[in-house]
Amino acid sequence: MRKHQITPYIFIAPAILVFSVFYIYPLMYMGYLSFHSWNFISVEKPFVGLDNYIRIFSDPIFYETVWNTLKYAFFTVALIVIIAIPLAIWLNQKGRIFTAAQGAVFSPHIISLVSVSMIWMWIMDVDYGLLNWIVSLFGVKSVGWLTNPNVAMYSLIFVSVWKSLGYYTLIIIAALQSIPKDLYEAAAIDKASKWRVFSKITFPMLTPTIFFISIIALINSIQVFETIDIMTGGGPINSTTTLVYYIYEEGFNNFHLGTASAAGMVLLFILMLLTILYFKVLSNRVHYQ
Amino acid sequence: MSNLKKILTRIGLVAVIIFFAFPFVWLVSSSVKTVAETLSIPPTLVPENFQWNNFVSAWNSGPFLQFLINSILVTFGVLVLQVITVVPAAYAFARYEFTGKKILWAITLITLMIPLQLIFLPVFLQLSSWGILDSLWGLILPFASGAFGIFMLRQTFMQVPNEILDAARLDKASELKIVWKIMMPLSKPTIITMLLFTFISRWNDYFWPLVMTTTENARTLPVGVAMLRTSETGVDWNIVMAANVILVIPILIVYFFAQKRIIQAFTYTGVK
Amino acid sequence: MAGIKIKNVSKTYQNTNERVPKRIHIFKKKIKENTRNVQVIDKINLDIKDGSFTVLVGPSGCGKSTMLRMIAGLEDITEGEVWVGDKLVNHMSPGDRNISMVFQNYALYPTMTVRQNIEFSLENIKVPKVERDRMVKDVAETVGLMEYLDTKPGKLSGGQRQRVALARAIVKRPDVYIFDEPLSNLDAKLRAEMRTELIQMHEKLKTTFIYVTHDQVEAMSMADEIVLMNRGEIMQIGSPVDIYNDPKNIFVAQFMGTPSMNVMPIGELINRLEPHFQHVSYFGFRPEKGILLGRSILHSYEIEIASKILTREILGAETIYKIENKYGVQNIKTTETHYSLGEEVNLCLSLDSLYYFDHDEQRVYADKTVLEAGIS
């Protein structure tokens, strides 16, 4: 309706204002800063070309950081997808104990990562933690879950899988429940085996959901910060420093705003690349109804 | 055979429940122990003496009242602003054709893809140049609208039959009245989902208040609780756990009673 | 109360701005080549008399709903003028036109009770509470909804919802009522009932009714005046009897009546017309005008055509036969039930039951000039 033409703009303006000011403009400003040198205080922000990029790419710690980020993301997403599908199929049954199990699996998702991190930090404490007491019952010497550079990353991956597994499992359960029952009835009439029912009906019908959760899990795990900040502080010896944590350290502790921004641009690039890759590789294998 | 299978299933389910619920039990158990008992080997599950005082000590170990008030103000401030900005925007995107719609929608979608963890640095600089760093505004304004909410609500609004809007227009209802009186009540489940999402993410958030505050003035509960892990006298795990109980238990209690609804709300978005 | 004048109205959808409703038939001849505009209403003139019951009828996608929505103000008018009474309403918003509309899917507000649904429009024009309550009560009594006032529409049956929609329309005391296929979601029995009720309602209110339907039975049974549309143009305007008995073209002839009129190429029948009617290309007759008689029986109809029974459909009071002959396949409606499939019969017609059409499918009045001689 032509006479309402001004209305949509008024309706959208507040939201777009927020997006422009707090998302779009900062993103561009970050791009600008990545080509400049600045330390918060100085008035001048000299243009330095690609210096910041050259600096981070000649920093071995940065490579380690990128590697850590990818390792963390890969294991988290893989574990979630591998565990969540069978778990969802198993828990998708009627009965109080199944409902209770679904509730329990989901519960960490609504709890603050701060508390989740601190509870596990306490359980994983080298000297007095519950976990080391349990492994000692099996005759294993105490493990530095968060203090051993070879182990710490995997402990963090474990905690983040523990926290978010329930969310993804319940999404798959919801998807399972939306698969039309008559498909299964038809398969039963056709005498399909359990495995064939899974591989020919359930799994193809789940592919859009699996696609959705893996992309969400990936984007989430690449931004990991809180567990690291609380549980390991990036250590021991940078073994758990990921990109966001690196940017945080560079920006807020070392005041290298230029290099921090350059690292941010790298993170943006990785996110974009992975998203595109995902869509390219997976989209033609995904069955949409 | 089927009996054995049944028993194994039961055992499996109980194991799953313990795996996910036990850390919370351990949290509560630790929170009422003495320091000495937290360090005892073998550990005890039920403490000998319940140290209710731990909660008082935890509460007094920092300006927790301030943190609590800040948390409440930030969370509810964001909720109110989101309703005001998200609902009309979603309506306009769902129900109007206008010049520039594509560009504005693209901006919304881009926003959906940009994590705040990516751009906190420039936002920080911006807030500091406006002088609202270390204030509640810095924790509220960036979340005053939500691309995700607009996205979800637009889907819902598009499903409302055109005829109902036509009827309302013939009944001389203003556009704003259509939004509040017809679209909103029709989209209750989506709006509840959106608010629940926002509530949980703001209430639990650690990253943003950590980055955007420099003093205790504007810090929220999660930041306050997290600070306890680095005390100079060494970590008293019983006190730390007591503080976490204060942070966690209210949400767990709400979850216990509204579990079905909450799970529905969260999984609602996964399957269209 | 008001009549409606529609002057030279056109409607064009511009692809860039407004989306063409899916149901609208896109006719390619009207898509201009350089623009991507689609014209769905083409320069229509129409005069709807105050207090009349006018039915716009036509196949789906003919533009009748678009017409209706332009009158209601739900659709912009690309060109021309729409007058309600003595007001030019082109630029008035729907709420200001004092028009009530009853929709196909009722369009009740699902989250409001029946009462709130009915009084929503009154609230919007700030009618005081006391007045409102009285008006709601009056109208609820009229349509028999008193006991459901505090129920939500979801709990009502189809017929009851339809009543709520009517109540909501009546309570506004509009100048014009508009109905957009309001009965198409009801089952056959309820539809017949509601049809009677609407006719009675119109008699009582004496307000202008504009009613859109694709169902010619509805049009025939309810209208004072039928406006038959096709492809964005008006085919014919007239009373139901006029339209049925005196169709102006093949489209009208075939649209009205079930089964529709049998229309065939004129064939050798052309020889029976005067020489100056050589441009007649088609002839037609209504299924109920055809008479089937056994081959062996002697009779003297003006036209007798040897035919064969193809199918038989017994409807109870009447039977429909599909027959085949040298002119093609035709439907015949009769009370006879005894002809069997494959039986050879004679199709008998009287000359005055025939209609003639020219090459452009327009009616040719050749009835009275058929040569009496040469009949065999």
Side-chain angles (χ1 to χ4, degrees), chain B residues 94-145:
Chain B
R95 289 294 176 172
Y96 282 101
E97 296 299 329
F98 50 92
T99 339
K101 182 178 178 180
K102 274 194 183 141
I103 295 168
L104 295 175
W105 183 240
I107 290 178
T108 310
L109 286 183
I110 290 171
T111 308
L112 192 63
M113 303 296 287
I114 306 174
L116 277 166
Q117 266 85 339
L118 179 64
I119 49 167
F120 68 93
L121 205 62
V123 176
F124 176 87
L125 297 174
Q126 195 169 355
L127 293 180
S128 100
S129 75
W130 290 349
I132 55 169
L133 206 61
D134 204 28
S135 81
L136 295 183
W137 288 117
L139 305 188
I140 295 175
L141 288 180
F143 304 95
S145 190

Side-chain angles (χ1 to χ4, degrees), chain B residues 97 166 168 170-172 177, chain C residues 19 69 96 109 124 172:
Chain B
E97 296 299 329
D166 289 343
L170 279 163
D171 279 349
K172 217 171 168 16
K177 187 154 189 178
Chain C
R19 238 171 273 139
R69 294 170 58 79
D96 295 332
Y109 310 121
N124 290 337
K172 284 165 72 175

Side-chain angles (χ1 to χ4, degrees), chain A residues 1 4-5 7-12 14-16 18-27 29-30 33 38 40 87 90-91 93 97-116 118-123 125 127-130 133 158 161-163 165-167 170-172 174-176 178 194 208-209 212 219 223-226 229-231 244 247-248 251-252 256-257 260-261 263-265 267-268 271 275 279 288, chain B residues 5 8-10 12-14 16-17 19-24 26-27 30 38-43 84-86 88-89 91-93 96-100 104-105 107-108 110-111 113-128 130 141-147 150 169 175-176 179 197 200 203-207 210-212 222-223 225-229 237 240-241 244 247-248 251-252 255 259 262-263 266-267 269-272:
Chain A
M1 305 294 305
H4 297 306
Q5 270 318 307
T7 321
Y9 299 108
I10 295 172
F11 279 6
I12 286 172
I16 290 295
V18 171
F19 297 156
S20 317
V21 171
F22 291 108
Y23 291 81
I24 307 297
Y25 171 74
L27 195 65
Y29 189 52
M30 186 169 80
L33 274 183
W38 194 35
F40 261 134
L87 188 62
W90 183 40
L91 292 185
Q93 297 184 48
I97 188 158
F98 286 102
T99 315
Q102 288 178 20
V105 172
F106 184 77
S107 59
H109 183 66
I110 55 163
I111 300 304
S112 171
L113 252 180
V114 168
S115 296
V116 168
M118 292 177 89
I119 293 169
W120 280 103
M121 202 176 157
W122 168 220
I123 292 177
D125 190 81
D127 300 320
Y128 304 105
L130 187 63
W133 177 72
F158 168 81
V161 171
W162 182 84
K163 166 149 166 91
L165 185 67
Y167 171 61
L170 278 145
I171 284 181
I172 298 179
L176 284 171
S178 71
K194 270 194 168 176
T209 310
F212 170 81
I219 289 175
Q223 306 158 30
V224 62
F225 174 83
E226 285 153 304
D229 182 56
I230 292 171
M231 297 178 77
V244 174
I247 299 169
Y248 175 76
F252 286 168
H256 296 152
L257 293 187
S261 297
M265 294 308 282
L267 177 57
L268 174 69
L271 274 178
T275 311
F279 273 97
Y288 285 103
Chain B
K5 201 178 156 191
L8 284 178
T9 308
R10 293 246 140 180
L13 285 170
V14 171
V16 167
I17 293 174
F19 182 70
F20 284 95
F22 184 75
F24 297 118
W26 191 242
L27 160 75
S30 306
T38 56
L39 306 181
S40 76
I41 291 179
I84 295 173
T85 62
V86 165
Y91 177 68
F93 277 127
Y96 282 101
E97 296 299 329
F98 50 92
T99 339
L104 295 175
W105 183 240
I107 290 178
T108 310
I110 290 171
T111 308
M113 303 296 287
I114 306 174
L116 277 166
Q117 266 85 339
L118 179 64
I119 49 167
F120 68 93
L121 205 62
V123 176
F124 176 87
L125 297 174
Q126 195 169 355
L127 293 180
S128 100
W130 290 349
L141 288 180
F143 304 95
S145 190
I150 293 177
R169 292 198 176 121
E175 290 301 292
L176 218 53
V179 175
F197 251 88
I200 300 271
W203 184 261
N204 287 340
D205 190 27
Y206 169 69
F207 178 73
L210 176 76
V211 172
M212 296 304 154
V223 181
V225 170
M227 284 187 327
L228 290 179
R229 81 190 186 287
W237 283 107
V240 172
M241 289 298 118
N244 276 298
L247 188 60
V248 166
I251 289 191
L252 275 188
Y255 177 62
Q259 183 187 321
I262 291 174
I263 288 182
F266 272 89
T267 52
T269 48
V271 269
K272 291 149 280 170

